[in-house]
Amino acid sequence: MVPDQFLASLNGAERAPEWERWLKRDISALVAEIDGELVGFAAGGAIREPLDAYDAELYTIYLLERAQGRGIGKVLLTSVAEALVRKGHRSLMVWVLEQNPAVSFYARAGAQYLKSKQVEIGGVRLPEVALGWPEAGSLFASTGDTASD
């Protein structure tokens, strides 16, 4: 989906200061580990681009491929939602590239389609969709999933 040249240009050391600034904001950030090894992370906070009545946004969620399909993504998602609700947020949305397989992950978790837009990444315009949960509490109210699971 994203141009290989753009992905190859990403540099963890150069992005570290950006992450440090980001983590100092009022966000909820969680990591997932398997046997002490970091295999994923997720973060969310106040919505960055107003959209209808939504007040919180899942900024990022990532799992190593070998950790996918184990329910870890669902635990990260529900745990971020729970943390945001505890901070007073009511709803949650996420922007995701339309061709990203994560769209079906969010749909299985009950997300509703909200809108779409075009974004430019690495000089290429790509369709991105907003998906949301009008009641963020619905993500964790019916499950036993929590950050400690």
Side-chain angles (χ1 to χ4, degrees), residues 53-56 81 84-85 87-92 133-138:
Y54 287 82
D55 63 356
L84 293 171
V85 167
K87 290 182 177 186
H89 295 285
R90 296 173 313 283
S91 56
L92 180 65
W133 298 266
E135 297 293 330
S138 68

Side-chain angles (χ1 to χ4, degrees), residues 37-60:
E37 178 191 9
L38 181 67
V39 296
F41 60 90
I47 196 165
R48 297 176 288 188
E49 179 181 322
L51 181 62
D52 300 330
Y54 287 82
D55 63 356
E57 180 178 352
L58 178 66
Y59 300 148
T60 186

